[in-house]
Amino acid sequence: MRGRRRAAVLLCAAVLGGPLAGCSWPGSSGAAPETASPAAVSLPKYYDPEPLLADVSARTRSDGGAVLSVAGTLTAGGEPVPVTGDGAIRIDPAGAGAAVRLLLRAGAEGTVPRATEIVRIGERTWLRPQESGWVEAGRAPLPPDAVADATLAANVASGVDPLAAVARYPDAVLVADAVDTDVDGIPAVHYTLVVDLVRAIAAEHDPQRRAALVAQQQAGVTRISTEIWLDAERRPVRGRLRQQLPDSGTVDLLIRYRDWGSPVTIEPPRAD
């Protein structure tokens, strides 16, 4: 019973951690500073966060859906473990948030990676660990050996919504950097956006989300940062997710978006 209770707590922390996707943690070096590619096309840039957030939100709501893939590592005290995944995202045109469908794989080099399927719609999350049935987070226990993979999958799914980590706190956002580059040959601007944690806490009225922010502040975090690459049409083509997972190490992923405007439909999975 104690193991099940601990599993539920870890997964609950992961699901509630959606607003913290993309956190910058003390002591994390992140990627090397990016410089403009010599061949990069100079695109118009935003230095005021308000129109940036508004325009990107309008663009993604208008497009509706996109195909996505993730690739990176999970580091938990030893060698980094490769993490990959494929799926799709659907942005609600009325502004009600994003729905995500994702198949995530994690495993050491030379091994068969463990797979976890996940569907996230609004605040509800369903998981299907390898060789298990679908379980809705918070409503039924997971097998103990599936908790770590489920926690990873839930955090990744909550972090692939473009700008979700900062759009909730528009009055606390700063455009820290904007660099011309390209993503797979597509001219883009690489933005680094930073949210002041104290101001985000003051603006947060949801008790659970506020408690999560306060917990990070007490752990020494002073800001929430997000990296996003936008093309000339203000469509996200790449994002970066760096996050400390509960008792599971640090995940560092690049998220690639393509085919914006695809007819993506994401519904709750059927019970097995």
Side-chain angles (χ1 to χ4, degrees):
M1 178 65 71
R2 183 175 299 173
R4 285 190 176 182
R5 185 176 298 124
R6 177 172 175 77
V9 169
L10 285 176
L11 187 55
C12 183
V15 174
L16 291 176
L20 299 179
C23 287
S24 177
W25 293 82
S28 64
S29 57
E34 184 172 6
T35 56
S37 167
V41 175
S42 180
L43 298 179
K45 299 177 182 65
Y46 295 88
Y47 295 99
D48 182 347
E50 184 176 354
L52 185 154
L53 295 173
D55 289 352
V56 175
S57 177
R59 175 81 269 176
T60 56
R61 288 201 309 268
S62 174
D63 286 343
V67 177
L68 63 87
S69 62
V70 301
T73 59
L74 172 67
T75 304
E79 290 294 320
V81 174
V83 177
T84 60
D86 302 281
I89 186 169
R90 170 72 183 171
I91 308 294
D92 184 77
V100 178
R101 181 178 64 245
L102 186 66
L103 173 62
L104 199 68
R105 299 171 290 271
E109 294 282 359
T111 67
V112 177
R114 302 177 308 276
T116 304
E117 290 183 77
I118 184 166
V119 171
R120 181 174 172 87
I121 302 175
E123 299 298 321
R124 299 181 68 182
T125 301
W126 295 263
L127 298 129
R128 182 160 68 175
Q130 188 166 292
E131 300 179 356
S132 298
W134 284 102
V135 175
E136 184 172 357
R139 300 203 177 186
L142 284 164
D145 59 354
V147 171
D149 290 337
T151 300
L152 171 64
N155 277 271
V156 173
S158 66
V160 298
D161 183 358
L163 296 179
V166 297
R168 190 174 181 88
Y169 314 106
D171 294 334
V173 181
L174 171 70
V175 178
D177 204 6
V179 178
D180 284 309
T181 185
D182 64 73
V183 176
D184 301 327
I186 301 172
V189 179
H190 177 190
Y191 288 94
T192 301
L193 307 176
V194 176
V195 175
D196 180 89
L197 193 58
V198 173
R199 296 179 67 181
I201 291 172
E204 183 57 75
H205 300 295
D206 181 278
Q208 292 179 316
R209 294 178 185 273
R210 192 174 191 279
L213 293 175
V214 170
Q216 304 313 315
Q217 183 187 40
Q218 293 173 343
V221 178
T222 60
R223 66 179 189 173
I224 303 170
S225 65
T226 288
E227 293 177 72
I228 190 168
W229 288 254
L230 302 178
D231 68 11
E233 300 298 321
R234 307 178 303 284
R235 292 184 173 97
V237 290
R238 181 188 287 171
R240 190 178 187 197
L241 172 63
R242 285 181 54 85
Q243 189 171 15
Q244 181 73 40
L245 305 184
D247 292 354
S248 302
T250 302
V251 64
D252 189 350
L253 301 175
L254 284 178
I255 306 159
R256 285 180 167 81
Y257 305 90
R258 59 182 175 84
D259 298 336
W260 280 102
S262 299
V264 173
T265 300
I266 300 175
E267 299 178 347
R270 294 182 179 180
D272 293 312

